[in-house]
Amino acid sequence: MTKQLFATLAIALSQIAGSFSLLAEESQQEQHHCGHCAIMARLQAQQLAAAANGEAPQHKYAPDRFADILHLKLDITPDFKTRTLTGTATLDFQPIAKALKQWRLNAVDLKIQKVTSSHVIKATQSTEKFLEITFANPIPAGAKAQVTIQYEVTPQKGLYFRTAEMGYPAGDTQLWTQGEPEDHQHWFPSHDYPNEKFTTEVICHLPEGMEALSNGHLVSETKNDKTGLVAFHWLQDKVHVNYLISLVAGHFEKIEAKHRDIPIALYVPPSEKDQLANTFRDTVKIMAFFEKEIGVPYPWDKYYNVCGIDYMMGGMENTSLTTLTQGTLFSDASENLHSSRGLDAHEMAHQWFGDLVTCRDWSHLWLNEGFATYYSLLYDKELLGMDDFKFRLHGNARGIFGNAKDTIPIVYQGYNNPMEQFSFRAYPKGGWVLHMLRSELGEDLFRKCVKTYLERHQYKTVVTQDLVEIFEELSGRSLSQFFDQWVYLSGYPEITVKYSWDELTKQVKLNVTQTQMTNEKRPFFKFKLPVKLIVGDKTHHKTIAISKDKEDFYLGLESAPSLVRFDPELTVLAKITFNPSEKMLIAQLADQTDVIGRLQAVDQLGKKKNQVTLELLTKALKEDPFFAIRNAAANGLAAMRTPESFAALQGALDQPDARVRQSVVRGLTKFYSDDAYNALKGIADREPNPDIRSEAIRGIAAYAKPELRKFLVRELGTASYHHRIAGSAIAGMRKQDDSFYVRPLRRHLKDSEDKFSSSGFSQALGTLAYLARNDEANDKTRVREFLIGHLDHLKERVAGAAIGALGELRDAKAIPILTTFATADSDSAQGKLAQSAIDKIRKNTPPGNAPAEVNRLRSQVQDLEKQLKGLSNELKAMQARFKEALESRNAEKTPEGAKK
């Protein structure tokens, strides 16, 4: 421990010395160089914390463009062994409004080798984030120019390697890029912001047997006999923004098809070739539907999907080359529990909304993501029908309603990090805004407006007002209020409705109260709410206009309605609280024309827990034609927790729809009895669907049965896609909280790491530590050593999981090694994880119960941490003085007119 801490101190001191050495060298040189599925939760938490502390947001705007980039050419040679690359970037450009003396490009941690230009360069400088090129003479506005930049880089973001040295299968070696929002600057110099569009070209040199994919069309594939490398030359000859540039290279298997003359394909790692057809089944149909629905032909040369190993997003709509998570792949054994359809449709919709027409800055991100979210639902409607469309729209609304305290509007410039914009506001709420417009204007006029929007702004960037102007122009409607309350202000209406019938006046009385939090950013909403009332065999459709905090509405009818439904067609994003009588709920459940009404009836009836409810839910589980109603009925029966409801669930295990069968099994796990255990054990032994079998395994783990030890250990060796059954057995072991499992689990993790996904293995490390936390010293020591052996794992997720697991282990002897991570870079993800683990160990290890040696080490660590903190402050002060001196010298050297 002591040696490791002093090593850290030595590094800090050497950095100070190095800084001043660099300053001395700089005085002698003219050129000088220097070297985002959980993200959103952290960023939103930071956002809320800042708001709670009264911190004013710093508004973000698109950067200036002093030069118009016409074309970017990248010539890349990756080294898979060292996970580095050498590159040459050539940018054709022209100054926009006035002569350009100095041009600044985004370039983070690029080791610049050489910069040349069509115009004489006076000086170049690499700062922490930029490459600055100063020309000897200003380049006149409108004059065409070119710069070529040769560089090397070990990318920390933007481009990611997946190699055998990192623990991935050798035959699956690949690299892939992820540019959105602004990460390409970590592997090539560019204007890394979406307010600039240009054509691109990518040449990638690879070992023979590998393949490179990029935007546009393949110009050539040429082998260099001297190097043995094969050059793949791709050209994107229609403009797009920087973050949409893509390079994916490595070993792949593929499946191909065509829509009209457009090539369509899916590429996957060779180990996943058996899953190709499942994920590809909708792609061609999606493109055909979108062309018909949107009215604008697919605008690019091809459409390829490619699966990236351990890809951090769900998907990324790079122009003509979408990257998908490997997690979208699934086996036949899972039946209909998994589908790539939604992700496939979402990313393809982006080829029009986001790629052809792109948001100009991140505050208008909903123009990309809202359209993609909504058009994915429209494809569901085309394929599966209106009930499925409504169900998914309803689900999106419920997700939005989980953010009742959010005060940020859809269009918002007060973010700190662009990733904060990738939230429910841009995705489901943005999609709901479009749905409300479509409901208000009608499908035909909506299609006309969207088609015009795309055609007028194709290959350009846009803001929300561009969309508003087209909808107003073609509809003749004033939409200012609509966009103000739904897009430029925050929130959504929450209303409580009370119903009564006046027999004397033959009127329905509706008392409506808006209950949402209101302030200057969240005023009361004004909207029209459809109401459906059924009297006998007649259906009445009414509309009430809500605009105040409290209002009464009176609707005349011939007699009291048997059913009252609000917004049955889902046209308004409003959270409605209405508690109809049991008699009305029964009528609502029987209405086969209203899928959401039936769903809500099942949810509300399930809370009543009486014999009538039991019979109704049992019938719905067996007979309702829509799977989601049957799922809800299973959930309701499980919530009742009676012998009768258990029998109803057990009698529904023969459901042919795997989604419902899974809900039934999940429902059985809510009971605790010998009958429930026996039913679940039978499913765990015999169910062929691995996902449903996994539900049963996790369910029986709640029981203290001696035979489970042998069973769960046996399940570790059961073959399944991505080792999912073993993962469920490990989750069961954690639930059992029995240290018996420590040795077989550690042995399995040691011998079978290659069978797990990175996330599955990471979770298993946490479980191993959890089970060993109260174990005997010998086993705890072996577990600690096993975890320490994974701290430097080249898979960042696994390394981070090992750090977290040491905290879970609660072994004070792990503090010294954790301290080296916490102090080496306290602001890094690993540094924060390590400090969190240390805090957890200290919290759970009272000093009086810790070994004397551990207490002594703890004291040493605390003293050294104080010393390091003092040295760190000195380092920061010295670096600040160094920076001031450097900036002062640069200011003296900078030619007049070169400053921005």
Side-chain angles (χ1 to χ4, degrees):
M1 162 59 205
T2 306
K3 290 181 179 178
Q4 289 164 330
L5 259 186
F6 278 115
T8 304
L9 298 177
I11 292 171
L13 291 171
S14 68
Q15 288 176 337
I16 297 171
S19 296
F20 283 100
S21 297
L22 177 62
L23 182 59
E25 292 173 8
E26 290 286 80
S27 65
Q28 303 173 13
Q29 298 176 5
E30 189 62 27
Q31 280 191 312
H32 40 283
H33 314 286
C34 21
H36 217 308
C37 39
I39 294 175
M40 280 312 306
R42 177 173 56 82
L43 291 172
Q44 287 184 341
Q46 292 172 352
Q47 211 171 34
L48 290 171
N53 292 330
E55 298 175 16
Q58 299 296 315
H59 285 200
K60 302 293 189 300
Y61 302 96
D64 292 327
R65 293 169 52 244
F66 296 109
D68 181 23
I69 298 177
L70 307 174
H71 185 73
L72 168 66
K73 179 180 179 181
L74 297 174
D75 194 310
I76 303 296
T77 304
D79 187 326
F80 288 88
K81 292 289 184 183
T82 61
R83 298 180 297 284
T84 61
L85 61 86
T86 58
T88 300
T90 303
L91 296 97
D92 296 309
F93 66 98
Q94 57 187 33
I96 294 175
K98 59 182 181 180
L100 184 70
K101 177 67 174 177
Q102 187 181 72
W103 197 26
R104 189 169 73 165
L105 296 170
N106 300 102
V108 178
D109 292 334
L110 303 186
K111 186 177 180 182
I112 306 298
Q113 303 295 322
K114 184 178 181 183
V115 181
T116 58
S117 174
S118 58
H119 292 64
V120 177
I121 294 175
K122 182 177 180 181
T124 63
Q125 175 178 269
S126 291
T127 66
E128 184 178 343
K129 296 182 179 180
F130 300 101
L131 168 63
E132 295 176 350
I133 304 170
T134 302
F135 300 99
N137 298 300
I139 302 173
K144 292 187 176 180
Q146 184 181 87
V147 295
T148 299
I149 304 155
Q150 297 177 24
Y151 63 96
E152 297 176 354
V153 63
T154 302
Q156 301 303 306
K157 289 184 178 180
L159 186 147
Y160 301 84
F161 289 91
R162 299 292 183 252
T163 68
E165 290 78 9
M166 299 174 71
Y168 296 98
D172 286 352
T173 294
Q174 62 174 221
L175 67 79
W176 44 262
T177 62
Q178 171 58 35
E180 192 178 45
E182 301 167 16
D183 282 354
H184 278 336
Q185 58 192 290
H186 293 268
W187 69 279
F188 67 86
S190 60
H191 177 89
D192 204 1
Y193 201 85
N195 65 336
E196 169 74 295
K197 288 197 170 189
F198 44 89
T199 56
T200 60
E201 198 171 352
V202 175
I203 302 171
C204 184
H205 305 268
L206 297 173
E208 193 168 13
M210 286 187 172
E211 185 174 1
L213 306 170
S214 189
N215 315 95
H217 64 271
L218 183 64
V219 175
S220 64
E221 180 181 336
T222 309
K223 182 179 179 180
N224 185 318
D225 291 332
K226 292 183 179 179
T227 65
L229 300 179
V230 178
F232 293 84
H233 184 174
W234 290 87
L235 175 63
Q236 171 63 37
D237 55 10
K238 298 173 183 175
V239 297
H240 61 160
V241 297
N242 195 74
Y243 74 76
L244 294 173
I245 295 171
S246 177
L247 172 63
V248 184
H251 299 295
F252 303 101
E253 293 285 341
K254 66 180 178 179
I255 185 172
E256 297 177 285
K258 277 192 174 184
H259 170 67
R260 296 188 287 104
D261 59 343
I262 301 168
I264 301 176
L266 169 64
Y267 288 74
V268 300
S271 64
E272 298 280 12
K273 64 181 179 179
D274 291 342
Q275 280 62 249
L276 273 165
N278 289 335
T279 294
F280 194 62
R281 65 175 57 154
D282 283 285
T283 310
V284 177
K285 292 183 287 186
I286 292 169
M287 183 177 287
F289 168 72
F290 282 165
E291 286 196 332
K292 179 183 71 173
E293 174 65 30
I294 296 169
V296 176
Y298 178 78
W300 312 109
D301 293 330
K302 68 174 188 308
Y303 187 67
Y304 290 176
N305 282 323
V306 56
C307 285
I309 302 173
D310 275 357
Y311 181 60
M312 77 281 281
M313 307 289 186
M316 180 62 218
E317 65 275 11
N318 309 304
T319 312
S320 79
L321 180 62
T322 287
T323 312
L324 299 176
T325 171
Q326 186 184 13
T328 195
L329 303 172
F330 60 96
S331 66
D332 291 332
S334 64
E335 300 175 79
N336 62 354
L337 292 179
H338 298 279
S339 172
S340 298
R341 182 185 66 253
L343 178 61
D344 198 356
H346 181 100
E347 302 305 330
M348 191 186 292
H350 271 310
Q351 300 298 314
W352 286 268
F353 307 105
D355 294 9
L356 181 63
V357 176
T358 312
C359 67
R360 192 170 302 155
D361 70 52
W362 301 119
S363 65
H364 298 275
L365 178 68
W366 82 281
L367 295 173
N368 295 7
E369 300 299 346
F371 270 101
T373 300
Y374 188 54
Y375 275 76
S376 174
L377 296 182
L378 290 178
Y379 178 69
D380 282 338
K381 178 183 172 185
E382 171 77 3
L383 183 71
L384 303 172
M386 181 61 80
D387 281 0
D388 197 273
F389 172 70
K390 288 180 179 178
F391 170 66
R392 297 180 193 283
L393 198 62
H394 173 70
N396 282 354
R398 293 183 66 174
I400 297 166
F401 297 157
N403 296 274
K405 295 182 180 180
D406 184 75
T407 60
I408 297 174
I410 288 178
V411 174
Y412 180 68
Q413 290 170 313
Y415 58 87
N416 295 308
N417 184 313
M419 284 302 297
E420 293 170 12
Q421 294 295 94
F422 291 77
S423 71
F424 76 94
R425 302 177 212 102
Y427 289 79
K429 190 177 181 185
W432 253 98
V433 168
L434 296 171
H435 178 67
M436 288 189 288
L437 273 175
R438 186 180 171 104
S439 301
E440 181 76 15
L441 302 179
E443 293 185 3
D444 292 339
L445 180 55
F446 179 84
R447 285 193 191 97
K448 181 180 179 181
C449 292
V450 171
K451 183 174 184 288
T452 303
Y453 165 73
L454 289 172
E455 290 176 337
R456 191 173 296 179
H457 298 290
Q458 61 183 335
Y459 307 111
K460 298 177 183 177
T461 60
V462 291
V463 294
T464 300
Q465 189 58 29
D466 294 316
L467 182 71
V468 175
E469 289 174 358
I470 286 174
F471 271 91
E472 289 190 329
E473 172 191 330
L474 297 183
S475 70
R477 300 278 297 274
S478 173
L479 296 172
S480 297
Q481 179 188 322
F482 177 90
F483 279 90
D484 271 354
Q485 68 179 5
W486 294 112
V487 177
Y488 294 112
L489 295 174
S490 67
Y492 51 85
E494 299 181 51
I495 63 172
T496 298
V497 183
K498 294 181 180 179
Y499 157 88
S500 62
W501 168 254
D502 189 328
E503 182 62 33
L504 290 176
T505 61
K506 299 291 185 180
Q507 286 183 322
V508 166
K509 179 184 177 182
L510 301 175
N511 174 264
V512 179
T513 304
Q514 291 198 49
T515 61
Q516 73 272 12
M517 178 178 67
T518 58
N519 52 40
E520 67 279 3
K521 295 182 179 180
R522 295 180 56 145
F524 291 115
F525 280 78
K526 296 181 180 181
F527 60 98
K528 294 178 180 179
L529 184 69
V531 184
K532 182 176 83 170
L533 307 103
I534 296 180
V535 180
D537 59 357
K538 289 182 63 176
T539 300
H540 298 268
H541 294 280
K542 308 280 187 178
T543 300
I544 58 178
I546 299 173
S547 60
K548 302 175 183 177
D549 58 341
K550 293 182 179 180
E551 296 175 90
D552 291 331
F553 299 92
Y554 298 88
L555 307 175
L557 292 173
E558 59 271 29
S559 60
S562 61
L563 176 62
V564 179
R565 280 277 289 122
F566 298 96
D567 195 23
E569 298 304 313
L570 297 182
T571 61
V572 182
L573 179 61
K575 184 178 181 180
I576 303 170
T577 300
F578 174 54
N579 296 309
S581 66
E582 184 172 302
K583 185 177 180 181
M584 274 195 181
L585 288 173
I586 293 172
Q588 192 169 311
L589 182 58
D591 187 355
Q592 292 300 308
T593 68
D594 185 2
V595 66
I596 301 304
R598 300 203 309 279
L599 184 64
Q600 292 174 341
V602 167
D603 288 341
Q604 290 182 276
L605 285 168
K607 299 173 184 177
K608 297 186 179 294
K609 300 183 179 181
N610 55 36
Q611 184 62 31
V612 172
T613 296
L614 175 69
E615 293 172 359
L616 289 170
L617 295 186
T618 301
K619 182 179 180 182
L621 176 57
K622 291 181 177 180
E623 299 178 7
D624 197 281
F626 192 60
F627 81 95
I629 310 297
R630 303 200 299 278
N631 281 349
N635 295 338
L637 289 167
M640 295 180 76
R641 292 175 63 86
T642 65
E644 293 79 11
S645 66
F646 173 79
L649 286 170
Q650 192 173 22
L653 283 171
D654 59 349
Q655 285 277 343
D657 189 318
R659 296 169 295 185
V660 184
R661 199 161 74 252
Q662 184 181 50
S663 291
V664 170
V665 173
R666 191 177 291 135
L668 292 176
T669 67
K670 307 300 182 185
F671 295 82
Y672 194 85
S673 67
D674 287 340
D675 287 342
Y677 174 81
N678 292 331
L680 291 169
K681 184 62 167 59
I683 296 165
D685 286 333
R686 295 184 292 274
E687 170 64 49
N689 188 310
D691 294 86
I692 298 175
R693 183 175 175 181
S694 294
E695 290 282 355
I697 291 171
R698 287 191 289 268
I700 60 175
Y703 293 81
K705 301 283 187 178
E707 66 265 26
L708 284 179
R709 283 183 166 185
K710 182 177 180 180
F711 173 78
L712 291 176
V713 171
R714 187 191 72 200
E715 291 302 282
L716 289 175
T718 300
S720 62
Y721 182 59
H722 285 183
H723 220 36
R724 283 177 179 161
I725 289 178
S728 297
I730 293 169
M733 292 175 181
R734 186 182 184 100
K735 187 180 288 188
Q736 292 259 295
D737 197 5
D738 181 353
S739 61
F740 163 82
Y741 297 109
V742 170
R743 292 184 183 183
L745 178 56
R746 180 171 59 85
R747 186 164 53 248
H748 183 73
L749 295 180
K750 180 181 178 181
D751 296 340
S752 304
E753 179 180 348
D754 60 332
K755 296 180 181 178
F756 287 89
S757 66
S758 297
S759 61
F761 188 76
S762 298
Q763 291 169 8
L765 289 179
T767 295
L768 176 65
Y770 178 80
L771 294 172
R773 73 195 188 284
N774 298 319
D775 201 3
E776 294 179 6
N778 288 339
D779 275 344
K780 197 166 191 175
T781 297
R782 293 189 184 99
V783 170
R784 183 182 72 248
E785 292 171 349
F786 180 74
L787 295 174
I788 288 173
H790 288 79
L791 291 177
D792 292 321
H793 203 290
L794 292 177
K795 292 182 181 180
E796 289 184 11
R797 181 178 295 180
V798 173
I803 292 174
L806 285 172
E808 193 80 70
L809 187 63
R810 303 177 188 178
D811 184 349
K813 292 181 180 179
I815 289 179
I817 188 67
L818 288 170
T819 302
T820 65
F821 285 88
T823 56
D825 186 355
S826 60
D827 292 329
S828 69
Q830 279 198 341
K832 292 176 181 178
L833 278 172
Q835 187 58 55
S836 177
I838 292 170
D839 294 342
K840 193 169 188 177
I841 293 171
R842 287 176 174 164
K843 180 180 179 181
N844 291 282
T845 309
N849 296 336
E853 175 65 14
V854 173
N855 287 328
R856 185 183 65 78
L857 286 171
R858 178 181 290 118
S859 177
Q860 281 189 348
V861 168
Q862 290 172 341
D863 290 341
L864 288 169
E865 282 177 336
K866 290 177 182 177
Q867 296 175 39
L868 181 61
K869 185 175 181 180
L871 285 171
S872 177
N873 291 334
E874 290 182 31
L875 170 62
K876 290 178 180 177
M878 290 180 180
Q879 287 177 329
R881 292 198 295 273
F882 159 68
K883 184 178 181 181
E884 290 176 6
L886 182 61
E887 290 176 347
S888 175
R889 185 182 61 76
N890 287 341
E892 293 172 0
K893 288 169 50 181
T894 304
E896 188 64 31
K899 298 178 182 177
K900 290 186 176 66

